[in-house]
Amino acid sequence: MTIWRLSWQSALRRRRLFLWNVIIPLLLLAPVAMSSAAAPHRVAVYGVFLVFFGTFESAVPTVSDARDGWLDEIFRTNYSAMRWLWERTLAETSIDLVQTLPAILILLFTGAGLSSFLGTLMSVAIALLFANLIGPVIAAMVRSLAEAALAGAAISLGLLHYAGFFRPPVSGWTLTLAMWNPYTPLRSGLQGSVSGVAPGAILGWELPLISIAIMGLLIFIFSSRWTRHLRWPNA
């Protein structure tokens, strides 16, 4: 049975938790989307929530699985670390996307409408993919759920800041960081959803996508090394 199937079966089996993971984004984000707050403020709130949602939903359960010895059992079955990471990242990204989709639709309906749906959805998917990719790496660096949450928050806020969510970069090194930042497409997509201006389409996302590809490649290449820290009984 693949990790993809196990992840989805586990998510659907815990129906109450799955439902809460749909309701909570709606309860927190819908009032923001329907408010008279300025577009940059709505974009910032959505961006922070989506990135935190993806990162925490990735890092914290990974720490829990490592602590319980479940990951050690998986790796003992000769399930390669690379295959585990690949299937887990795709599965968790798709689950997160389904759970946050209603909140994203509300932002679109109160903003630009469905005309920006595809660009917004792609930007959110890219952000959630990256968040779920670095989640296990964060989990490998810590030894408790609290540490995972703190590290995830610190890294996420840093990346969001340099992506221009809180203060648009103007020039210099901050602009360079924003151009390569993995979460820049998310900011572009969310801005398009509230303003009606189509996100710089994928034409303006080349550098962030290259950045994600490079970091993802390094994470996968060295996965057999850093995942040793997730085998807690034998770490």
Side-chain angles (χ1 to χ4, degrees):
M1 184 174 290
T2 65
I3 297 299
W4 167 277
R5 188 180 303 172
L6 278 174
S7 297
W8 266 104
Q9 284 185 347
S10 176
L12 295 177
R13 189 179 297 120
R14 295 177 293 181
R15 297 178 183 176
R16 186 173 181 178
L17 178 60
F18 191 93
L19 185 60
W20 272 114
N21 282 340
V22 175
I23 294 175
I24 293 300
L26 281 172
L27 291 177
L28 294 178
L29 296 178
V32 176
M34 294 184 291
S35 72
S36 58
H41 298 161
R42 284 181 282 164
V43 168
V45 171
Y46 260 79
V48 170
F49 183 90
L50 291 170
V51 170
F52 271 46
F53 188 86
T55 304
F56 287 5
E57 286 284 302
S58 177
V60 173
T62 301
V63 171
S64 180
D65 290 340
R67 181 187 59 188
D68 296 339
W70 189 71
L71 291 181
D72 185 54
E73 292 182 12
I74 289 178
F75 295 139
R76 283 178 178 272
T77 64
N78 294 323
Y79 211 93
S80 71
M82 189 175 294
R83 182 183 175 189
W84 166 80
L85 180 62
W86 175 253
E87 292 186 10
R88 185 200 171 286
T89 299
L90 291 180
E92 295 300 327
T93 299
S94 62
I95 292 170
D96 289 347
L97 191 60
V98 169
Q99 292 175 337
T100 56
L101 184 59
I104 296 168
L105 288 174
I106 288 182
L107 182 66
L108 286 167
F109 286 137
T110 57
L114 292 179
S115 60
S116 300
F117 175 76
L118 184 58
T120 302
L121 188 66
M122 290 182 63
S123 69
V124 173
I126 292 170
L128 290 176
L129 177 67
F130 182 74
N132 277 282
L133 187 60
I134 64 173
V137 180
I138 293 173
M141 298 188 300
V142 301
R143 302 298 290 180
S144 71
L145 298 177
E147 290 178 7
L150 286 172
I155 293 172
S156 297
L157 282 174
L159 289 170
L160 285 164
H161 172 70
Y162 288 112
F165 273 90
F166 310 127
R167 185 178 182 181
V170 180
S171 61
W173 62 274
T174 56
L175 180 59
T176 301
L177 285 178
M179 290 170 60
W180 287 88
N181 195 294
Y183 293 134
T184 294
L186 178 62
R187 178 169 62 88
S188 173
L190 292 176
Q191 286 176 338
S193 70
V194 298
S195 67
V197 178
I202 307 186
L203 297 176
W205 297 354
E206 299 97 333
L207 296 183
L209 291 176
I210 291 174
S211 177
I212 293 173
I214 292 174
M215 285 188 278
L217 186 61
L218 291 174
I219 290 173
F220 276 102
I221 289 176
F222 295 103
S223 60
S224 60
R225 294 188 179 182
W226 60 262
T227 52
R228 294 173 187 171
H229 299 287
L230 295 175
R231 304 178 68 169
W232 284 19
N234 299 289

